[in-house]
Amino acid sequence: NAGVTQTPKFRVLKTGQSMTLLCAQDMNHEYMYWYRQDPGMGLRLIHYSVGEGTTAKGEVPDGYNVSRLKKQNFLLGLESAAPSQTSVYFCASSYSGGLAGDRDTQYFGPGTRLTVL
Amino acid sequence: DQQVKQNSPSLSVQEGRISILNCDYTNSMFDYFLWYKKYPAEGPTFLISISSIKDKNEDGRFTVFLNKSAKHLSLHIVPSQPGDSAVYFCAATRMFQGAQKLVFGQGTRLTINP
């Protein structure tokens, strides 16, 4: 049981390049999330998904796209990378969105450190 | 607009003493609060939580206190141990459009000195 895994761990891009970050979870969770962490800013929600085939915008969605074609995977895409997207990206998943009455814990992956030059 | 604030970027405490981490929030719609702990090169891990209908929740060495009137919560760790050295994030949440939205504070780096 690996929990939440993220690929790659590190990446350096040039401005304008594109890339996809992969998140995978093996806990059969319905909900998945992408966050970015910047110094002094905490973690901010980029996009999230409440189930296979669904996606929704979070707090800072501009410049990113996501897809959830399979329940266990959540992809974050940068079509044209900008220096402002230099950050550490975290994926998380949870069993539900809290609809069961209990506030469901979000489990986080180890992060991807992205640098855009 | 920073809805969840941790005003202390860092805190240093002697081993065996109490560590107190503070967090303030501005949005009265938040109804559930969490603390996450983060080690370097790892993702945040859930530590403890509290519902807005309570004012205290305890789990072993960790206790979270909530003061709704002041929009303030705190995490107490007693006794502090070297393994507690990490960055601690406060988070607040409410249900929005079918999902639990977490809003994080900036984090406080806790260092436990031997």
Side-chain angles (χ1 to χ4, degrees):
Chain A
N1 189 339
V4 180
T5 58
Q6 293 183 232
T7 308
K9 288 186 169 52
F10 303 94
R11 186 71 185 269
V12 178
L13 290 179
K14 294 181 179 179
T15 297
Q17 286 185 317
S18 63
M19 77 162 295
T20 300
L21 282 68
L22 172 64
C23 175
Q25 53 93 4
D26 61 1
M27 297 175 281
N28 201 33
H29 284 171
E30 288 292 337
Y31 288 68
M32 297 187 75
Y33 313 82
W34 275 107
Y35 294 89
R36 60 178 287 173
Q37 184 194 3
D38 302 296
M41 297 289 290
L43 282 79
R44 292 180 293 168
L45 183 64
I46 304 171
H47 285 282
Y48 66 98
S49 168
V50 302
E52 182 179 325
T54 73
T55 63
K57 293 180 180 180
E59 182 186 356
V60 288
D62 293 343
Y64 305 95
N65 56 77
V66 288
S67 64
R68 183 98 181 270
L69 299 179
K70 293 182 179 180
K71 184 177 183 179
Q72 63 268 34
N73 295 337
F74 195 28
L75 279 63
L76 178 70
L78 286 75
E79 290 187 350
S80 179
S84 61
Q85 294 178 304
T86 293
S87 188
V88 180
Y89 292 86
F90 290 100
C91 176
S93 71
S94 61
Y95 180 74
S96 73
L99 297 175
D102 294 325
R103 293 303 176 162
D104 214 53
T105 300
Q106 291 189 17
Y107 294 85
F108 284 81
T112 294
R113 184 174 295 275
L114 175 66
T115 301
V116 183
L117 303 176
Chain B
D1 179 26
Q2 191 75 24
Q3 297 186 62
V4 179
K5 294 183 181 179
Q6 295 175 256
N7 293 316
S8 298
S10 62
L11 176 67
S12 184
V13 175
Q14 194 170 1
E15 182 179 358
R17 297 291 187 104
I18 183 171
S19 295
I20 300 176
L21 294 90
N22 294 303
C23 178
D24 297 295
Y25 63 95
T26 57
N27 191 338
S28 58
M29 295 295 290
F30 291 138
D31 59 358
Y32 203 75
F33 303 89
L34 308 91
W35 285 94
Y36 278 81
K37 178 179 180 180
K38 185 183 179 304
Y39 292 118
E42 295 184 10
T45 56
F46 170 74
L47 186 60
I48 192 170
S49 62
I50 187 167
S51 166
S52 61
I53 62 173
K54 296 185 177 180
D55 56 18
K56 176 183 174 181
N57 187 28
E58 191 172 353
D59 184 2
R61 297 185 297 114
F62 303 92
T63 303
V64 56
F65 295 92
L66 175 63
N67 182 333
K68 282 183 64 179
S69 61
K71 294 190 177 68
H72 176 84
L73 66 156
S74 61
L75 174 68
H76 292 210
I77 306 173
V78 57
S80 300
Q81 298 174 354
D84 296 330
S85 295
V87 176
Y88 289 78
F89 289 98
C90 167
T93 180
R94 65 183 181 97
M95 290 302 297
F96 179 74
Q97 294 181 344
Q100 180 192 42
K101 298 290 181 65
L102 280 176
V103 181
F104 285 86
Q106 307 97 308
T108 296
R109 182 177 302 277
L110 176 65
T111 302
I112 307 300
N113 301 308

